[in-house]
Amino acid sequence: MADDTGKLGVGALHLGIPNRRQFFQLGAGAAAGWTLSGSAFAQTERPTSPPDKPRGQVIAALSQEPTVFHPLMPGIEVDQGIWWQVFSPLWFIEPDGKFVPDLAREVPTIENGGLSADGLTWKIKLRNDVKWHDGTAFTAEDVKFSLELINNPDFRVRNRVGHSLVKDIKVVAPDEIHWRMEAPYSPYMSILSLTFIVPKHILEKVSDPNSTPFHNAPVGTGPFRWAERVPGDHIQLNAHAGYHGKGPYVERVVFKYIPDLTVLYTQFRTGQVDYTGLQGILPNFVQEAKTLKGRKIFVSSTSSVEHIAPNLEFGPFADRAVREALYLAINKQAIIDALNYGLPTQTESFVPQQAWSFQQGLPQHKYDPAKANALLDAAGGTRGAGGVREKGGVKLEFTNSTTSGNAVREQTQQLLIQDWRAIGAAMRVNNMPAAVIWGEFWQQSKFNSVLVSVNFMLGSDPDVTPRFGSSAIPAKGGRGFNTYQYRSPEADRLLAEGAKQFELAQRKTIYGDLQKLIRNDLAILPLFQGFIAEGVKEGLQGFRPNINTSINCWNIREWYWA
Amino acid sequence: MVRYVVNRLVQAIMLLVIVSAIGFAILHLAPGGPLSQFAVSAQMTQEDLDRVTRQLGLDRPLPIQYLDWFGRMVRGDWGKSYRDGEAVLSVISSHLGATLELMVTATILAVLLGCWIGILGALRRYSLFDTLATVGAMIALSIPTFWFGLVTIYVFSVKLGWLPAGNRHTIGDGSLLDLMHHLIAPAVVLALVETAMWGRFMRSSMLEVINQDYIRTARAKGMPEWRILTVHALRNALLPMITVAGLQLPTLLGGALVAETVFTWPGMGRLFLDSIGYRDYPVVMGILMFSAAIVLIGSLLADILYAVVDPRIRVG
């Protein structure tokens, strides 16, 4: 997964399919996480001899400013960097896909009685040695409060996927809570691994749950406690001495906001920051960064898949043969090698290659303009004025949009124009600022095609109902983000089947079939799996990229200076 | 004089109202919105976005949103940031100090250096110094601030290691010395264009004055040259610079915006860019109103000062 030599460790990952018992032993009663080869982590650093007492500080640079500190409210990836330090979930997910109990004493499974065989009843045993940062004891009431807050109609919650199925929450003891699910929903285990618990004793007193002092001075049970925020500059967190888990091993962590990626890299180079987090080091600096003395560079995969999103309701794209011809005519390797410095890995699926649900053996893309031309000839398109194909009066002409200012994507568009012109397709660029393109234009499918990177996974679960379900098309009043307007009864069947299935082997088959279907239908034209290059000062131990989280500084509690 | 000031004040308030209406309309009519940042993440669905949109009142008709915002603003409630829930006035004030440090330092540098260059250029018209100053000013006005900032970082931080590559201070060190060390590069970069402007204006103003009859008369009377320059020429040449100072405020604010981005200076400029990027309407409107007020106050003060020193203005 991560590799400090600059090569992505995203090769074949064979862990075999665990049986039902093994699945639940993994703590993956519902969803499960990723499986990774052992060697993929061989080169990352793990704490071996951390100090007895927290020592020193870490300055972590981020290119986006964390601003949402209530972990249940709408936030972006970078906010998770703070949530991981200040709050705790019931269990978290390790880079190798294992669920590890955090506030819970154990991860519920059918074997340990935490889950009923039908997946409807959940019984969670909690630790009784956990304290909030203000000294108050953590209890099952806090878990109940958090789940109820998520479902409070007046609360500006991030989302209720899975949570809305939770009914009849009962606190049976200060350290035990039970609830019932309205319907079996296997991805909920994964969703809970990213659901941080908030303090009842602070938040129950407020009149408006959307506006409280807690929002800017959060109190959690995590390894670090809130110290200060200088807006637009930095956030400081101090070690929480009474943390219930291992660590933390540094006295304080400072998240420094540096919006410009070139400036961020310069400050890493000059030693002003110890770690370059989200969005890391620009690909064009990676080779140079590897030569810097006293710095280590980690290039690791992310869950996002860079792809061309066709609007399947838009004229030419409705024809699968056209999509296939366009896909064949893309020189993917040139995009990867020339524009992305060979750092990403080609992919054919919406599922990251490290996931247990990743389907091996999907048809591999081949750059074949001749075959693409033949396909279009057979489909009846003839070349008209300017060499652009035309069929029934409709020209093979479309726009492609992406976030303006993203240099690599803009260069990719230039390559696409060239590649597609060769087969008689005319592409025009129609780029927009982020706040514009991802607004109504994207949400209501007003685009022809978009060049975009999307994390399709629900936490670490491959349930992509919000992305490919027929009822998830916003332009047709659906609830979800199926902006591609993809509709397939077979995909709907597989998605419904996968979400209620608790057997990992069967889930793997179902989501494997779904990947084959999406690949065959070319609902998206995948280019490569996302990657991130991060720098760490030599001597800083414990950095472990985790593809299951939105941000790789998820485990600063394990970091220490050697 | 009182009537003049009141008239100018009423004009300024009307301008502020117009700015607020146009700014609000442009901001809200621009495609996208504060929630679009969540649209590529699997974290939220369309249903979630719709719910939050309703909760924030963004689904109401635009005129209603404007009147609501305006009504609250005149009562002192500038709303809360969509990003972090902080009161807008508190968000602005938390960034204001950093911008003022930068702008004041850059202005002092620019005024001192620019005036000196301008005066000397006027007194030694067409000399080597004047030619170099003219060419230098043209170059300074042509160089993009962003590029100059990056070059400064590369030379003085990366290569020579003399100055920090950005930030307002070293984490854990709040000393004045540390702040000044960090201030040098961004202030110099911001002052570059300002110096050139002040230099050019000062040169023109000085040239106009030293060619006046009363200067010739003073010389004919045998008055020492230093006295002619400081008492007669400089005082009169500085008069038009009051207006220049007022007009320079918007340029200075614009320059600060770029310098703050390059040097990761946590000021208003960067806050403005970030807030626009996130479509944080309350904060953008807050900064817009604040900046417009500053510019109008600057211009108003310049007009009043000019009227005070030159009574003909009041009559006209």
Side-chain angles (χ1 to χ4, degrees):
Chain A
M1 212 310 269
D3 178 343
D4 62 2
T5 65
K7 190 179 185 316
L8 278 166
V10 289
L13 302 163
H14 307 282
L15 207 77
I17 301 167
N19 59 29
R20 184 186 176 92
R21 176 176 293 272
Q22 286 167 328
F23 176 44
F24 285 112
Q25 276 170 349
L26 276 176
W34 313 102
T35 57
L36 289 162
S37 64
S39 61
F41 279 99
Q43 292 174 72
T44 59
E45 296 166 293
R46 298 211 55 176
T48 47
S49 53
D52 297 332
K53 278 174 64 180
R55 202 177 60 207
Q57 69 174 12
V58 170
I59 299 178
L62 304 169
S63 61
Q64 290 175 313
E65 185 182 13
T67 51
V68 179
F69 311 119
H70 191 311
L72 304 179
M73 293 190 84
I76 52 175
E77 290 170 331
V78 74
D79 297 316
Q80 216 185 73
I82 303 293
W83 302 343
W84 276 114
Q85 321 312 326
V86 177
F87 297 95
S88 314
L90 292 172
W91 45 86
F92 60 84
I93 189 162
E94 283 270 337
D96 61 2
K98 283 184 186 159
F99 289 117
V100 177
D102 194 337
L103 292 174
R105 252 188 321 217
E106 58 186 10
V107 177
T109 63
I110 292 173
E111 280 70 18
N112 67 21
L115 280 174
S116 61
D118 58 5
L120 291 176
T121 306
W122 293 56
K123 296 178 178 177
I124 316 291
K125 290 174 183 160
L126 303 165
R127 292 178 71 128
N128 47 27
D129 59 345
V130 180
K131 293 258 189 289
W132 292 98
H133 293 156
D134 61 5
T136 309
F138 158 80
T139 72
E141 290 291 347
D142 294 305
V143 181
K144 182 172 188 274
F145 175 81
S146 300
L147 295 176
E148 286 175 345
L149 181 63
I150 291 170
N151 287 313
N152 176 351
D154 296 327
F155 178 55
R156 205 183 303 143
V157 70
R158 187 165 57 254
N159 70 48
R160 295 191 178 123
V161 177
H163 301 296
S164 60
L165 300 171
V166 175
K167 307 288 169 194
D168 304 332
I169 306 171
K170 281 182 194 141
V171 172
V172 290
D175 60 354
E176 189 163 347
I177 185 168
H178 298 177
W179 69 75
R180 184 178 60 80
M181 298 293 281
E182 205 169 56
Y185 186 58
S186 46
Y188 198 47
M189 185 68 76
S190 176
I191 289 170
L192 281 177
S193 75
L194 292 170
T195 301
F196 297 93
I197 304 301
V198 295
K200 179 187 176 186
H201 68 282
I202 294 174
L203 293 171
E204 71 176 344
K205 296 169 191 158
V206 301
S207 53
D208 177 8
N210 300 308
S211 179
T212 70
F214 173 84
H215 287 59
N216 290 304
V219 173
T221 52
F224 292 92
R225 54 194 300 163
W226 188 260
E228 68 159 3
R229 175 186 179 218
V230 177
D233 193 56
H234 73 271
I235 290 163
Q236 185 182 319
L237 307 175
N238 291 341
H240 170 39
Y243 179 57
H244 57 273
K246 286 182 182 172
Y249 303 121
V250 290
E251 280 176 282
R252 74 191 74 87
V253 53
V254 179
F255 288 97
K256 178 86 188 129
Y257 168 47
I258 304 173
D260 187 90
L261 287 174
T262 305
V263 177
L264 188 147
Y265 172 64
T266 306
Q267 295 204 11
F268 175 65
R269 198 178 147 170
T270 55
Q272 284 177 272
V273 299
D274 304 315
Y275 160 70
T276 63
L278 204 80
Q279 306 164 17
I281 298 170
L282 283 169
N284 52 317
F285 291 135
V286 169
Q287 282 308 322
E288 184 203 69
K290 285 179 187 166
T291 65
L292 296 177
K293 279 188 181 167
R295 309 282 186 278
K296 296 194 97 174
I297 308 302
F298 294 85
V299 179
S300 48
S301 300
T302 66
S303 295
S304 295
V305 174
E306 181 90 1
H307 64 279
I308 296 156
N311 182 349
L312 301 173
E313 294 278 303
F314 170 73
F317 295 144
D319 187 346
R320 192 205 161 277
V322 171
R323 299 201 296 274
E324 188 178 356
L326 291 172
Y327 194 47
L328 283 166
I330 299 172
N331 189 348
K332 263 198 204 185
Q333 210 52 50
I335 292 170
I336 290 170
D337 291 340
L339 303 183
N340 291 281
Y341 297 82
L343 296 171
T345 311
Q346 199 178 128
T347 190
E348 301 294 340
S349 172
F350 58 85
V351 171
Q353 298 178 24
Q354 294 77 9
W356 60 268
S357 52
F358 177 69
Q359 177 63 41
Q360 301 279 353
L362 291 174
Q364 289 300 295
H365 169 270
K366 197 180 162 204
Y367 174 50
D368 194 343
K371 193 174 171 188
N373 261 317
L375 260 176
L376 290 176
D377 288 343
T382 51
R383 288 181 189 256
V388 180
R389 287 179 185 273
E390 218 173 309
K391 185 184 171 186
V394 178
K395 283 187 174 180
L396 184 48
E397 205 171 44
F398 54 89
T399 59
N400 182 266
S401 308
T402 197
T403 316
S404 49
N406 184 322
V408 178
R409 288 222 183 107
E410 284 168 351
Q411 288 165 347
T412 304
Q413 288 176 319
Q414 295 308 315
L415 281 187
L416 290 173
I417 288 173
Q418 262 185 47
D419 288 343
W420 285 342
R421 189 188 293 139
I423 61 164
M427 177 191 126
R428 278 176 288 114
V429 171
N430 179 26
N431 293 344
M432 305 168 192
V436 179
I437 189 170
W438 310 124
E440 207 178 61
F441 183 74
W442 168 250
Q443 291 164 31
Q444 294 298 322
S445 304
K446 293 188 171 173
F447 56 91
N448 293 174
S449 69
V450 163
L451 185 56
V452 62
S453 183
V454 168
N455 175 5
F456 290 89
M457 308 296 277
L458 207 55
S460 57
D461 197 272
D463 177 24
V464 284
T465 309
R467 293 286 173 184
F468 294 118
S470 299
S471 59
I473 304 174
K476 295 194 174 359
R479 298 172 170 186
F481 264 131
N482 185 353
T483 51
Y484 315 99
Q485 308 205 63
Y486 176 67
R487 279 180 299 176
S488 158
E490 178 61 6
D492 289 343
R493 188 188 67 75
L494 290 168
L495 286 167
E497 190 69 23
K500 67 180 181 194
Q501 179 57 251
F502 281 74
E503 193 73 50
L504 183 68
Q506 292 198 29
R507 289 198 85 204
K508 185 169 168 60
T509 306
I510 292 167
Y511 289 106
D513 288 347
L514 184 68
Q515 287 167 75
K516 287 178 199 162
L517 183 69
I518 301 279
R519 170 62 180 85
N520 182 60
D521 286 349
L522 284 168
I524 60 169
L525 310 185
L527 295 176
F528 54 78
Q529 190 179 330
F531 67 98
I532 182 166
E534 289 159 290
V536 177
K537 258 190 198 166
E538 214 162 61
L540 186 58
Q541 309 288 308
F543 173 73
R544 286 195 295 150
N546 188 342
I547 197 167
N548 304 303
T549 62
S550 296
I551 193 156
N552 279 337
C553 58
W554 64 290
N555 69 332
I556 299 183
R557 62 177 177 269
E558 294 179 2
W559 295 14
Y560 69 93
W561 291 99
Chain B
M1 183 67 186
V2 174
R3 199 171 160 189
Y4 173 79
V5 173
V6 170
N7 271 343
R8 294 288 288 107
L9 210 57
V10 170
Q11 283 172 14
I13 290 168
M14 280 169 63
L15 260 174
L16 274 178
V17 175
I18 292 168
V19 165
S20 78
I22 294 175
F24 195 90
I26 289 176
L27 191 61
H28 285 71
L29 290 176
L35 305 181
S36 52
Q37 58 186 308
F38 305 120
V40 275
S41 133
Q43 291 279 304
M44 292 181 84
T45 65
Q46 186 63 41
E47 189 191 11
D48 296 318
L49 292 179
D50 292 345
R51 192 186 58 247
V52 177
T53 302
R54 276 194 306 278
Q55 287 172 331
L56 292 174
L58 292 166
D59 56 339
R60 294 173 302 165
L62 199 55
I64 302 288
Q65 288 187 51
Y66 174 71
L67 290 175
D68 180 45
W69 171 82
F70 191 81
R72 281 189 287 109
M73 190 201 62
V74 292
R75 291 197 301 272
D77 175 8
W78 289 34
K80 286 186 174 175
S81 163
Y82 289 162
R83 290 173 70 200
D84 59 13
E86 277 278 317
V88 169
L89 285 175
S90 156
V91 174
I92 290 176
S93 64
S94 66
H95 287 73
L96 188 61
T99 297
L100 284 179
E101 271 167 23
L102 193 57
M103 282 175 59
V104 169
T105 313
T107 304
I108 292 172
L109 276 175
V111 170
L112 291 179
L113 202 63
C115 287
W116 178 74
I117 292 171
I119 293 166
L120 217 59
L123 296 178
R124 301 180 187 171
R125 193 150 59 133
Y126 305 133
S127 67
L128 179 64
F129 176 85
D130 187 34
T131 310
L132 286 177
T134 305
V135 173
M138 290 304 123
I139 292 172
L141 289 169
S142 314
I143 290 178
T145 309
F146 198 85
W147 180 84
F148 184 55
L150 288 178
V151 169
T152 305
I153 290 176
Y154 182 74
V155 175
F156 294 98
S157 306
V158 177
K159 286 291 163 194
L160 299 172
W162 292 353
L163 297 171
N167 305 332
R168 194 177 173 199
H169 56 78
T170 310
I171 300 286
D173 184 352
S175 67
L176 184 65
L177 202 67
D178 182 65
L179 173 70
M180 286 170 69
H181 193 210
H182 282 79
L183 194 55
I184 295 172
V188 166
V189 168
L190 181 58
L192 182 78
V193 174
E194 295 298 309
T195 306
M197 302 278 267
W198 277 90
R200 298 313 296 160
F201 279 120
M202 194 66 217
R203 182 180 181 276
S204 307
S205 182
M206 195 67 179
L207 271 176
E208 203 177 308
V209 171
I210 57 176
N211 288 322
Q212 296 286 326
D213 290 343
Y214 67 86
I215 298 289
R216 226 182 346 266
T217 309
R219 281 204 180 103
K221 283 164 67 181
M223 193 180 276
E225 193 65 21
W226 66 268
R227 194 172 160 77
I228 294 171
L229 283 178
T230 51
V231 177
H232 295 279
L234 192 57
R235 279 181 67 177
N236 286 309
L238 278 172
L239 268 182
M241 303 311 281
I242 296 171
T243 314
V244 172
L247 294 175
Q248 281 299 86
L249 261 174
T251 318
L252 199 59
L253 278 170
L257 193 138
V258 179
E260 285 176 6
T261 303
V262 179
F263 290 97
T264 55
W265 196 263
M268 296 263 292
R270 230 176 64 186
L271 173 70
F272 189 59
L273 278 184
D274 285 352
S275 303
I276 285 186
Y278 284 99
R279 292 287 196 277
D280 194 347
Y281 298 145
V283 176
V284 175
M285 283 307 295
I287 298 174
L288 187 69
M289 295 311 293
F290 187 81
S291 312
I294 294 274
V295 170
L296 286 172
I297 290 169
S299 165
L300 185 66
L301 283 178
D303 286 353
I304 294 170
L305 270 176
Y306 213 99
V308 168
V309 295
D310 190 349
R312 288 172 302 176
I313 300 290
R314 277 174 270 164
V315 178

